[in-house]
Amino acid sequence: MTTKTIMVTICGRPNVGKSTITNALVGEKIAIVSDKPQTTRNRITAIVNRGDTQFILMDTPGFHKPRTRLGDYMVNVVRESVADVDAIVMMVEPTEQIGRQEEELIKRLKGSRVPVILAINKIDTIDKTKLLPVILNYSNAYPFEAVVPVSALTGEGLDELMDELEKHAEEGPQLFPDDMITDQPERQICAELVREKLLNCLDKEVPHGTAVEITRFHERDDGVIEIDATIYCEKDSHKGIIIGKHGVMLKKVGEQARTDMEEFLGTKVFLQTWVKVKENWRDSANLLRNFGFTRD
């Protein structure tokens, strides 16, 4: 049987729904989701098999103006991800005015020579009659191969998006096995699940100053997986907030993360969490390297 593959980068401003659409297309949670911007820090590769075509989707950090070394790293991930792919999906919100971040991203795409499909996300939040001026404005700004209104939350338009992408797939062997849905190691996904709960449970700047490291990942003879997770934050005051009064907040984060880990791993999980302070880790090249934020 002839097989086809296509490598796709999904890009856009922070909090536009890139991770939500990645999870929806895969059918499982492999990228963490939060209503806070800049949730995704690394490039996450998702694999979707549809008929004889294998889609390799790269979910990228939100394109933003960096303020730390970590921010620089995240923006570089986006820049590298729009090169050497077969197609790009630019995700935007259904607002008529093209934002400054979208304008900047369009400038970068103009030199890519890669087909770009515009996905207008969150159409479940607006009256569909308001879509036409959005489509017209973006079509005037860039020669998109196609414009597809979608809702990552409800699934509307996702089949149409995949149909458009499939037009750019090329014949060739599949790059990943049929049962593989991501190239992210299980340890990394578990660390990200803990960070997602920190983003969802904590306020303001505190969760953005956290990193999570899985220091132990051991499968027992009875199938239970023992996981030790260390949460790093930047200040002693943040440590107190993360732990919470009588440890309530840390317990809440741990319980929610464990539930998602068990669903992802398909087995019981025994999770232990600790909190440590690493001041200004987002501006430390050595600590960023330790946490896996490096480019080869």
Side-chain angles (χ1 to χ4, degrees):
M1 183 179 77
T2 303
T3 58
K4 295 181 289 184
T5 60
I6 178 169
M7 296 191 71
V8 183
T9 286
I10 302 174
C11 61
R13 71 158 63 216
N15 209 29
V16 76
K18 298 180 297 296
S19 296
T20 304
I21 204 169
T22 299
N23 291 336
L25 292 171
V26 172
E28 284 194 47
K29 177 185 272 189
I30 60 165
I32 67 172
V33 177
S34 165
D35 59 3
K36 296 181 175 67
Q38 298 167 31
T39 298
T40 301
R41 289 175 175 169
N42 237 319
R43 183 169 63 192
I44 296 169
T45 302
I47 301 107
V48 179
N49 293 302
R50 189 176 185 251
D52 61 355
T53 304
Q54 185 169 82
F55 298 79
I56 298 130
L57 310 173
M58 288 179 285
D59 175 20
T60 60
F63 193 77
H64 66 286
K65 186 175 182 179
R67 294 188 178 90
T68 62
R69 279 180 184 257
L70 174 62
D72 289 334
Y73 166 82
M74 290 161 65
V75 170
N76 284 334
V77 167
V78 180
R79 287 172 180 154
E80 291 173 13
S81 297
V82 297
D84 301 323
V85 292
D86 302 309
I88 295 168
V89 172
M90 178 177 167
M91 286 188 70
V92 300
E93 295 189 353
T95 52
E96 188 173 344
Q97 185 71 32
I98 298 177
R100 192 174 297 173
Q101 287 162 303
E102 282 76 17
E103 288 177 347
E104 189 64 33
L105 197 47
I106 285 171
K107 278 184 194 174
R108 296 192 180 282
L109 293 176
K110 281 180 176 174
S112 68
R113 297 183 182 178
V114 174
V116 183
I117 294 168
L118 183 72
I120 304 173
N121 192 26
K122 305 183 183 180
I123 60 169
D124 53 302
T125 64
I126 63 158
D127 183 338
K128 301 293 195 297
T129 59
K130 295 181 179 177
L131 274 172
L132 186 57
V134 182
I135 293 170
L136 287 174
N137 278 356
Y138 274 100
S139 297
N140 288 332
Y142 188 86
F144 293 100
E145 290 287 320
V147 178
V148 186
V150 301
S151 169
L153 203 58
T154 68
E156 186 178 356
L158 297 190
D159 282 339
E160 290 82 355
L161 178 61
M162 295 294 269
D163 288 341
E164 289 295 338
L165 288 172
E166 194 164 2
K167 294 175 183 177
H168 304 285
E170 297 183 358
E171 285 190 13
Q174 293 190 346
L175 302 179
F176 296 96
D178 284 341
D179 59 350
M180 192 169 175
I181 60 171
T182 181
D183 67 344
Q184 294 285 293
E186 290 178 338
R187 293 173 75 114
Q188 181 62 29
I189 290 178
C190 288
E192 285 289 89
L193 288 174
V194 175
R195 193 167 67 84
E196 177 187 64
K197 305 314 171 190
L198 291 167
L199 283 164
N200 292 340
C201 293
L202 298 171
D203 291 328
K204 298 177 183 175
E205 178 62 16
V206 176
H208 288 298
T210 60
V212 180
E213 181 182 20
I214 301 299
T215 53
R216 185 165 178 266
F217 190 101
H218 171 70
E219 185 173 355
R220 299 190 324 212
D221 292 339
D222 61 1
V224 174
I225 296 178
E226 297 178 353
I227 297 175
D228 291 356
T230 301
I231 299 164
Y232 295 94
C233 60
E234 293 182 307
K235 299 177 182 178
D236 282 317
S237 59
H238 289 181
K239 179 178 179 179
I241 293 168
I242 293 167
I243 294 172
K245 191 174 182 180
H246 305 305
V248 169
M249 180 58 72
L250 187 60
K251 183 180 179 183
K252 180 181 178 182
V253 167
E255 286 177 348
Q256 291 185 9
R258 179 179 55 78
T259 298
D260 276 9
M261 287 177 187
E262 289 181 341
E263 186 175 343
F264 171 70
L265 297 168
T267 189
K268 288 283 186 184
V269 169
F270 178 69
L271 173 65
Q272 294 190 94
T273 54
W274 287 268
V275 184
K276 293 184 179 179
V277 177
K278 292 279 187 183
E279 292 185 8
N280 300 319
W281 68 264
R282 284 182 287 181
D283 275 315
S284 166
N286 287 336
L287 287 175
L288 287 173
R289 196 175 300 111
N290 289 347
F291 296 143
F293 301 117
T294 56
R295 307 305 297 160
D296 293 331

